[in-house]
Amino acid sequence: MQHVPLLINGQFIPSTTSQFIEVTNPANNSVIAQCPCATDAELAAAVASAKQAFLTWKEVPVPERARVMMRYQQLLKEQHDEIATILSQETGKTFADAKGDVWRGIEVVEQAMNVPALMMGETAENVARGIDTYSYIQPLGVCLGITPFNFPAMIPLWMFPLAVACGNTFILKPSEQDPLTPMKLAELFIQAGAPAGVLNVVHGGKDQVNYLLNDADIRAVSFVGSVPVGQHIYKTATDNMKRAQCFAGAKNHSVIMPDANKQQVLNNLVGASVGAAGQRCMAISVAVFVGQAKEWIDELAGMISKVTPGIWDDAESGFGPLISPQAKQKVLALIAEGKAQGAKCLVDGSTFSLAGYEQGNWVGPTVFSEVKTHMSIYQQEIFGPVLCCMVVDTLDEAIALVNNNPYGNGTSIFTSSGGAARKYQHEIEVGQVGINVPIPVPLPFFSFTGWKNSFYGDLHAYGKQAIRFYTETKTITARWFDEEANAHSGAGEQPNMTINLR
Ligand code: NAD
């Protein structure tokens, strides 16, 4: 049985702990690895290594740091299929989906390659006579990343490449449910030339995270995961005077206007709702049909019912199993509540089972109509292949519905009216908006900008905001007393020019 190693000070080492968490293949729940819960001494060693490495890494010129990212990007591309295979095996994602997970991470590494330009400060000459002001962007120190199970390549890659490119050192605590993919990412990072201690990877759950949140040497915390954990991490990190950015749960609505292109809407909503088994923080989980668009609900349900779950290397699989038996139980309980509370279950995936893989965490595609806001299936994040359909009469009602929801990660509108789209993008209180684009995840030269209960913090992931998050700005005001040079430039002399303000 494979024991997942720790990465401390450039060495992949076995943990000395006696506590392990099983890593399973979600298709049949067979155990594929044992994930250690790192000891306090191992966590302390990771922090000490990162602290020591920071002293030299921050002095490495920024173009050299960018070159490490270039080599890293090349290695990730060369081993794209190998990483995606590991990822599929531990998450159950289809191979195509797993490749997408890795690719979205590679795109962030490409942004990290641009770090010299992104770390340029500002200058202003002669802010007072003979005085110039300029600013530098400097790294913070040791940064921590805590990541969820659902994107084990993309989300770690949202964090450590940019933090490290900025000159910081990093400790990653990946999800204990799928730590093998992050370890492969770490292995390639070392191969790309990252010096010992620049990236450390430790494993475990709540206790390991809490230890790190209380370590005074950690300056900034990036977290992605569920709402209660996000709130806890944001509060603890900021109480401990750390910078924090915490990306949390979601309930993403798609608003379908009757003037939209019907076929485009239906094709888009199928993948956006049940794709990746609905285990995407940007999945569309609520479709809001405006007016006559409600007539498309049955056809959409029919299309979704044809998407069949399957194993990762079967090209016919529409999506894979859920990550764990607990995740499956939670989704089944919500489906049962939806039925009990009066929603109409048009497609019921709760009894789905895959022949030969009966022990796996399977849930089939599920569609509810006549969903109301008081129902649990509307109020809670389901994180499974379940779409809730609702009907309203006007665009204003749709906007009010979305704005009353406590989450604000993503939303989309389907329409052929520029006016409706413009009104929606302006009035909607959600951080990422798609117009005839179902899942509007911004590319890494923008930032990932969830709002409300989907994000706690100020500066978001990747893009210019991440550079700000992982750095300090130092502003210098300078005057040079050089008699000879000043004699020619006029600096230091009393002005003899009068400015007429009128
Ligand atoms: P999770 O909150 O259970 O776990 C996330 C991380 O926190 C893991 O590394 C875990 O070990 C750690 N953790 C768990 N409980 C903890 C505790 N009590 N104290 C300290 N640390 C703890 O989330 P998950 O189930 O792995 O991921 C799914 C969730 O992530 C969903 O809610 C989804 O919406 C969210 N998510 C959000 C985004 C976004 O960008 N907003 C992106 C991806 C996933």
Side-chain angles (χ1 to χ4, degrees):
M1 179 58 59
Q2 182 185 359
H3 279 212
V4 187
L6 307 170
L7 170 60
I8 297 180
N9 206 26
Q11 302 295 315
F12 289 92
I13 51 165
S15 172
T16 58
T17 185
S18 55
Q19 269 189 300
F20 290 87
I21 299 165
E22 289 179 343
V23 181
T24 54
N25 170 0
N28 59 10
N29 280 313
S30 60
V31 179
I32 53 179
Q34 297 284 352
C35 179
C37 295
T39 63
D40 286 0
E42 288 161 347
L43 298 171
V47 179
S49 161
K51 194 178 171 193
Q52 185 63 31
F54 178 63
L55 300 178
T56 43
W57 180 245
K58 68 177 178 161
E59 301 301 339
V60 171
V62 66
E64 287 181 35
R65 299 201 303 255
R67 267 175 228 127
V68 173
M69 302 303 151
M70 289 177 204
R71 285 194 292 276
Y72 190 42
Q73 182 247 26
Q74 186 60 31
L75 289 170
L76 290 169
K77 280 186 172 167
E78 283 167 13
Q79 303 211 23
H80 195 163
D81 282 3
E82 286 87 334
I83 306 166
T85 303
I86 297 169
L87 198 156
S88 285
Q89 287 168 346
E90 64 177 346
T91 61
K93 280 191 191 189
T94 64
F95 191 56
D97 237 343
K99 285 196 75 168
D101 187 334
V102 179
W103 180 252
R104 297 307 299 246
I106 291 174
E107 289 178 324
V108 185
V109 177
E110 285 175 354
Q111 201 224 357
M113 288 156 49
N114 292 324
V115 72
L118 294 166
M119 285 190 76
M120 284 164 64
E122 296 174 316
T123 64
E125 192 191 31
N126 232 25
V127 294
R129 284 181 175 73
I131 297 183
D132 304 328
T133 298
Y134 45 94
S135 63
Y136 290 131
I137 310 287
Q138 296 193 336
L140 284 177
V142 181
C143 302
L144 168 66
I146 303 150
T147 55
F149 79 84
N150 68 326
F151 282 100
M154 178 185 83
I155 293 180
L157 292 174
W158 277 8
M159 298 177 183
F160 73 80
L162 280 166
V164 166
C166 288
N168 301 290
T169 54
F170 204 88
I171 298 172
L172 176 67
K173 204 303 287 173
S175 170
E176 62 280 27
Q177 299 192 83
D178 45 17
L180 300 173
T181 307
M183 285 324 286
K184 180 71 185 170
L185 300 179
E187 198 184 299
L188 296 180
F189 201 54
I190 300 292
Q191 227 174 298
V198 166
L199 174 67
N200 297 273
V201 187
V202 294
H203 299 290
K206 178 176 148 205
D207 292 345
Q208 286 64 32
V209 171
N210 288 337
Y211 176 98
L212 293 167
L213 291 177
N214 286 300
D215 190 303
D217 286 323
I218 292 174
R219 296 286 316 277
V221 180
S222 303
F223 164 85
V224 180
S226 58
V227 165
V229 181
Q231 290 181 340
H232 160 70
I233 289 182
Y234 188 73
K235 282 192 195 137
T236 314
T238 51
D239 278 355
N240 288 341
M241 305 301 167
K242 300 180 195 309
R243 236 175 238 198
Q245 50 171 201
C246 297
F247 300 83
K251 196 81 181 171
N252 305 310
H253 299 65
S254 189
V255 172
I256 299 112
M257 299 297 288
D259 64 1
N261 178 321
K262 178 181 152 191
Q263 221 44 54
Q264 293 284 358
V265 170
L266 300 185
N267 291 342
N268 276 287
L269 285 183
V270 173
S273 57
V274 299
Q279 296 180 120
R280 291 195 278 223
C281 63
M282 288 289 277
I284 293 298
S285 49
V286 185
V288 184
F289 292 84
V290 180
Q292 289 311 305
K294 68 181 176 210
E295 287 170 12
W296 306 345
I297 294 177
D298 286 340
E299 192 171 338
L300 175 64
M303 288 168 72
I304 291 179
S305 72
K306 294 195 180 71
V307 183
T308 41
I311 54 169
W312 70 272
D313 55 354
D314 177 352
E316 299 300 311
S317 301
F319 57 83
L322 299 187
I323 190 71
S324 66
Q326 294 77 4
K328 174 176 169 167
Q329 281 321 312
K330 197 174 164 208
V331 171
L332 292 186
L334 281 163
I335 293 175
E337 274 184 58
K339 291 175 191 168
Q341 290 175 348
K344 189 168 167 191
C345 193
L346 299 178
V347 183
D348 185 355
S350 57
T351 55
F352 179 87
S353 173
L354 189 71
Y357 293 86
E358 290 80 1
Q359 300 305 312
N361 314 316
W362 303 99
V363 176
T366 301
V367 180
F368 280 103
S369 66
E370 298 176 26
V371 174
K372 303 283 178 272
T373 51
H374 68 272
M375 296 178 180
S376 323
I377 51 171
Y378 180 74
Q379 292 193 344
Q380 293 187 35
E381 180 181 41
I382 301 184
F383 232 55
V386 182
L387 178 66
C388 295
C389 297
M390 303 177 85
V391 175
V392 295
D393 291 330
T394 63
L395 177 58
D396 281 322
E397 273 180 65
I399 291 173
L401 175 76
V402 178
N403 285 350
N404 280 329
N405 191 280
Y407 292 103
N409 219 28
T411 187
S412 52
I413 182 167
F414 284 91
T415 180
S416 58
S417 156
R422 171 70 174 66
K423 178 179 168 71
Y424 194 75
Q425 77 178 29
H426 184 65
E427 294 183 14
I428 212 68
E429 291 160 12
V430 173
Q432 300 171 104
V433 183
I435 296 173
N436 298 314
V437 172
I439 301 189
V441 177
L443 264 79
F445 27 91
F446 288 89
S447 296
F448 189 93
T449 53
W451 283 15
K452 302 199 289 193
N453 268 0
S454 299
F455 178 68
Y456 309 108
D458 314 283
L459 294 166
H460 292 85
Y462 59 75
K464 289 182 193 140
Q465 294 199 22
I467 303 291
R468 295 276 313 280
F469 181 76
Y470 290 125
T471 57
E472 296 273 28
T473 302
K474 183 180 281 175
T475 310
I476 296 148
T477 301
R479 174 164 62 183
W480 292 95
F481 297 102
D482 182 329
E483 299 299 331
E484 202 182 330
N486 288 347
H488 301 294
S489 71
E493 292 172 7
Q494 288 300 315
N496 54 13
M497 178 187 280
T498 309
I499 299 170
N500 185 345
L501 292 175
R502 278 176 296 167

